Amino acid sequence: GYKEVLRFLNGETVKRECIDEVKKNSRRLVKKQLTWFRADKRIKWIRTDNYDNIFDLTEKVLQEVNKYLP
């Protein structure tokens, strides 16, 4: 959002347009990142909503990381 905010601060856009542009460009970036990550088979996705607390989630993450450590 730096580019959009700078345009707003420089008087090139109004606040509403700045907010809309930040949202739109953020969604585009997320879509590009997800496309890239999904194509990389080395990435192991862990659903965070499958865990009742942060401790169980952390344990799962550490188990996955340890699989790749010597």
Side-chain angles (χ1 to χ4, degrees), residues 17-56:
E17 184 179 343
C18 175
I19 292 169
D20 291 344
E21 286 293 311
V22 168
K23 288 179 180 180
K24 179 181 74 172
N25 291 334
S26 294
R27 283 190 300 270
R28 286 180 179 169
L29 176 60
V30 168
K31 186 174 179 181
K32 284 181 184 182
Q33 289 175 331
L34 285 174
T35 298
W36 186 83
F37 282 128
R38 286 182 182 132
D40 190 335
K41 300 301 178 198
R42 298 171 298 169
I43 295 174
K44 169 72 174 169
W45 293 95
I46 299 173
R47 292 193 50 117
T48 59
D49 58 345
N50 290 341
Y51 298 89
D52 294 329
N53 60 66
I54 191 69
F55 302 108
D56 292 342

